[in-house]
């Protein structure tokens, strides 16, 4: 909820109106009878915002990635090239695909290029997150895009944690870096304050996914109220409200990062995700309990979500946080360090 929109009156009103008009549940898969004019409106609004031919709604980001990647790499002669720190939904999507999977070092564009040069695949698909969800660092999409163009590879970018946060109109990291993906995955459950996801790209692809993506074909459609809230969210995020909230969000990020750096912690501030490394699984949960007792909720993240030995506090800053909220967190971290709780810094 990076922009604090989950309780925004515009989204709530849009959802309530759609609920009154259509009822609560979609009732079936979208291919059977679970598709409505509201779903179509949500897809059109997103496509116009992202500047792509078409988009296709899914029930979640996990469903989007596990539906998309097996369709793109449907032949054993295809190859998928995946950043080693990609989200679990991308990992599982790659596992479900028939093509071979090649992992490259995190954000290592040179290693990716080497793999692509050696590849003799029928189709080459490169997939990366824009903002990596557990480390908070960002991909160099301009460099990745250049390699994909040079090596005739398709670029898929999961913009889940970048949509609404980066770009002049909040259209994501690809827009901010001037490096458009061939296929984008966005989620409504982060900056857009809702739930669900969508895939944006060529119309021919969305039509293929409509018929081939099993996580769409065999899943009940999202409630019309969710789709209606998605339309409203895009309107807010792409407009002056989104501009104001992004400015507030980034101001909060920089404020917190400065406070953490003043304590000697290596907080990057490249995104609203600011992880503080602890290392030990039990120790990170002691930190969570310590901060919670002081009115601050920061979830400890442990394996298998992150590699063994890298347990961390995953601090997430939003536009809805006040200066007092940020000060309370900084004071809690300072008190924790004084009490003997340990941090190895920020990743």
């Amino acid at each position: 909820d990076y922009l604090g929109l989950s309780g925004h009156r515009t989204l709530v009103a849009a959802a309530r109106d759609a609920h009154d008009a259509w009822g609560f549940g979609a009732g079936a898969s979208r291919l059977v009878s679970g598709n409505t004019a509201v779903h179509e409106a949500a897809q059109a609004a997103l496509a116009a915002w992202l500047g792509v031919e078409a988009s296709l709604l899914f029930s979640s980001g996990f469903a989007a990635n596990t539906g998309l990647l097996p369709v793109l790499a449907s032949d054993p002669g295809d190859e998928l090239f995946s950043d080693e720190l990609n989200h679990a939904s991308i990992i599982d999507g790659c596992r479900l695909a028939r093509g071979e999977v090649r992992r490259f070092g995190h954000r290592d564009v040179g290693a990716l290029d080497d793999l692509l040069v050696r590849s003799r695949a029928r189709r080459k698909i490169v997939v990366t997150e824009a903002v990596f969800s557990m480390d908070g660092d960002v991909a160099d999409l301009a460099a990745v895009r250049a390699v994909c163009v040079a090596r005739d590879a398709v670029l898929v970018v999961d913009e889940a944690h970048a949509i609404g946060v980066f770009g002049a109109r909040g259209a994501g990291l690809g827009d901010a870096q001037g490096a458009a993906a061939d296929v984008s995955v966005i989620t409504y459950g982060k900056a857009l304050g809702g739930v669900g996801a969508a895939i944006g790209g060529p119309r021919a692809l969305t039509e293929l996914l409509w018929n081939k993506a099993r996580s769409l074909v065999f899943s009940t459609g999202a409630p019309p109220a969710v789709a209606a809230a998605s339309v409203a969210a895009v309107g807010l995020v792409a407009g002056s409200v989104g501009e104001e909230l992004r400015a507030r969000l980034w101001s909060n990020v920089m404020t917190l990062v400065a406070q953490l750096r003043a304590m000697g912690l290596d907080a990057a501030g490249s995104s609203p995700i600011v992880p503080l490394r602890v290392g030990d699984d039990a120790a990170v949960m002691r930190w969570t309990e310590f901060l919670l007792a002081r009115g601050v909720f920061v979830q400890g993240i442990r394996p298998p979500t992150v590699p063994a030995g890298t347990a961390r506090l995953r601090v997430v800053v939003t536009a809805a946080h006040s200066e007092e909220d940020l000060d309370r967190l900084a004071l809690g971290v300072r008190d924790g360090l004084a009490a003997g709780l340990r941090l190895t810094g920020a990743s």
Side-chain angles (χ1 to χ4, degrees), residues 298-322:
V298 182
Q299 183 62 272
I301 305 295
R302 297 166 289 174
T305 304
V306 295
T310 69
R312 66 201 64 182
L313 292 169
R314 184 173 178 266
V315 179
V316 176
V317 183
T318 80
H321 285 133
S322 65

Side-chain angles (χ1 to χ4, degrees), residues 52-78:
V52 296
E53 286 185 359
S55 75
L56 186 61
L57 294 181
F58 284 74
S59 59
S60 70
F62 210 102
N65 280 326
T66 55
L68 170 67
L69 297 175
V71 172
L72 289 180
S74 59
D75 187 276
D78 299 333

Side-chain angles (χ1 to χ4, degrees), residues 134-136 266-267 273-277 312-315 345-347:
M134 291 299 138
D135 288 80
D266 184 22
I273 302 168
V274 185
L276 299 176
R277 289 282 183 94
R312 66 201 64 182
L313 292 169
R314 184 173 178 266
V315 179
S347 54

